[in-house]
Amino acid sequence: MRMTPQRQMVLDAVRTLGHATPEAICAEVQQQSPAVNISTVYRTLDLLEQIGLVRHTHLGHGAPTYSCDPHEHVHLVCHSCQQVIEVEPELLEPLAATLAATRGFTLDPAHLALSGQCANCASQPAPADQPVPGQGHTTRNPEEPV
Amino acid sequence: MRMTPQRQMVLDAVRTLGHATPEAICAEVQQQSPAVNISTVYRTLDLLEQIGLVRHTHLGHGAPTYSCDPHEHVHLVCHSCQQVIEVEPELLEPLAATLAATRGFTLDPAHLALSGQCANCASQPAPADQPVPGQGHTTRNPEEPV
DNA sequence: ATAGCTGCAAACGGTTTGCCTCACA
DNA sequence: TGTGAGGCAAACCGTTTGCAGCTAT
């Protein structure tokens, strides 16, 4: 594979952004080189994923996020405030072992997020409309309960 | 809320189909009443979800699936053959306890699927192109590795 | 000369929205 | 009679595709 400038920029963007949607990655790349097209970003992300340089995680709603973290983590997404919490994948090891033993299923804990309610939202009695304030939403705007 | 015929049919479809995408639910409803529109299905599913009659699960790719199972289960999706395996949610209880204790995070195990590789796909040495045959795909056509 | 990468635009699947009409309390 | 439910079409977001031009071999 040829590491073209576009591909390098996409990879760099994934590295600097951490967890980002294709759109966000595209925006980042375009700051440096506005002509780069989003379809190139998608094609490149597929490619980089095939060769193992990046991976994507489904957070439940909308767009997946891409990252190239060498040390993966598990994502917990709060379906009240949409906050994304990262925890150590080791937490899933007992479960992974059980699934392997009873089902022969090899768990890939980083690929899909786990859903639930974060400590903050659990303590507040369901703030009816707007989300919990002052809570760093790692990614997106709060609407659909994930 | 008024339980209109459309709403009843959507609920029935969710019940008979088990896990189905909004499109599939719409198709089922339309067999009985072809004029029902997919936007009604979406609106109704939202509504039924708000009042707790149904819930949806993200399988990672495309459309979520809706169900109204009283006994929920956890979904394992194989990212090689796209097969969806259902396991007892009790398997996640130790993890849920740990997350609750260390993070105050209340896990909702049924809402998002877990990803990995099923026993069959793990044993075959990566069949390059086409998916594992004779394997009941619970839902969809095999392309994107989830 | 050739392969393959890119930009562009169009199409796509899934979902939401606005609007107008209709039925029912 | 007014509220809200449903049908329809259009818009929307995220993603993929076909094509044509370009670039590096």
Side-chain angles (χ1 to χ4, degrees), chain A residues 56 58 60 76-77 79 87-88 91-92 95 98 103-108 111-117 119 144 146, chain B residues 56 58 60 76-77 79 87-88 91-92 95 98 103-108 111-117 119 144 146:
Chain A
H56 74 271
H58 294 277
L76 309 178
V77 4
H79 53 219
V87 302
E88 325 78 56
L91 276 183
L92 292 205
L95 172 64
T98 308
R103 308 283 182 146
F105 190 90
T106 312
L107 189 64
D108 175 11
H111 186 227
L112 292 182
L114 295 172
S115 184
Q117 196 172 33
E144 182 235 11
V146 173
Chain B
H56 74 272
H58 293 277
L76 308 178
V77 3
H79 52 220
V87 301
E88 324 79 55
L91 276 182
L92 291 205
L95 173 63
T98 308
R103 308 283 182 146
F105 191 89
T106 311
L107 190 63
D108 175 12
H111 186 228
L112 292 182
L114 295 172
S115 184
Q117 196 173 32
E144 182 235 11
V146 172

Side-chain angles (χ1 to χ4, degrees), chain B residues 49-64:
Chain B
E49 185 150 36
Q50 275 172 39
I51 63 180
L53 282 184
V54 308
R55 359 186 358 176
H56 74 272
T57 302
H58 293 277
L59 256 24
H61 43 278

Side-chain angles (χ1 to χ4, degrees), chain A:
Chain A
M1 184 208 71
R2 302 178 37 220
M3 185 50 102
T4 66
Q6 287 91 333
R7 291 176 178 173
Q8 187 62 54
M9 286 189 292
V10 168
L11 181 54
D12 290 347
V14 173
R15 288 203 169 114
T16 51
L17 292 178
H19 293 84
T21 62
E23 295 232 341
I25 292 164
C26 188
E28 173 79 10
V29 168
Q30 286 177 340
Q31 280 185 238
Q32 201 184 327
S33 180
V36 173
N37 195 270
I38 188 143
S39 57
T40 300
V41 172
Y42 277 105
R43 285 191 275 236
T44 302
L45 288 173
D46 281 357
L47 221 160
L48 294 177
E49 186 150 36
Q50 276 173 38
I51 62 179
L53 282 183
V54 308
R55 1 186 356 177
H56 74 271
T57 302
H58 294 277
L59 256 24
H61 44 277
T65 62
Y66 284 78
S67 69
C68 52
D69 258 336
H71 45 86
E72 287 292 342
H73 29 240
V74 172
H75 302 86
L76 309 178
V77 4
C78 172
H79 53 219
S80 295
C81 71
Q82 315 304 307
Q83 185 191 188
V84 177
I85 303 167
E86 299 176 346
V87 302
E88 325 78 56
E90 291 75 38
L91 276 183
L92 292 205
E93 258 164 33
L95 172 64
T98 308
L99 289 178
T102 65
R103 308 283 182 146
F105 190 90
T106 312
L107 189 64
D108 175 11
H111 186 227
L112 292 182
L114 295 172
S115 184
Q117 196 172 33
C118 73
N120 253 290
C121 293
S123 60
Q124 345 248 116
D129 244 350
Q130 66 267 36
V132 168
Q135 191 66 263
H137 295 188
T138 305
T139 345
R140 52 183 47 240
N141 47 354
E143 343 93 18
E144 182 235 11
V146 173

Side-chain angles (χ1 to χ4, degrees), chain B residues 82-100:
Chain B
Q82 315 303 307
Q83 185 191 187
V84 177
I85 303 166
E86 299 176 347
V87 301
E88 324 79 55
E90 291 76 37
L91 276 182
L92 291 205
E93 257 164 34
L95 173 63
T98 308
L99 288 178

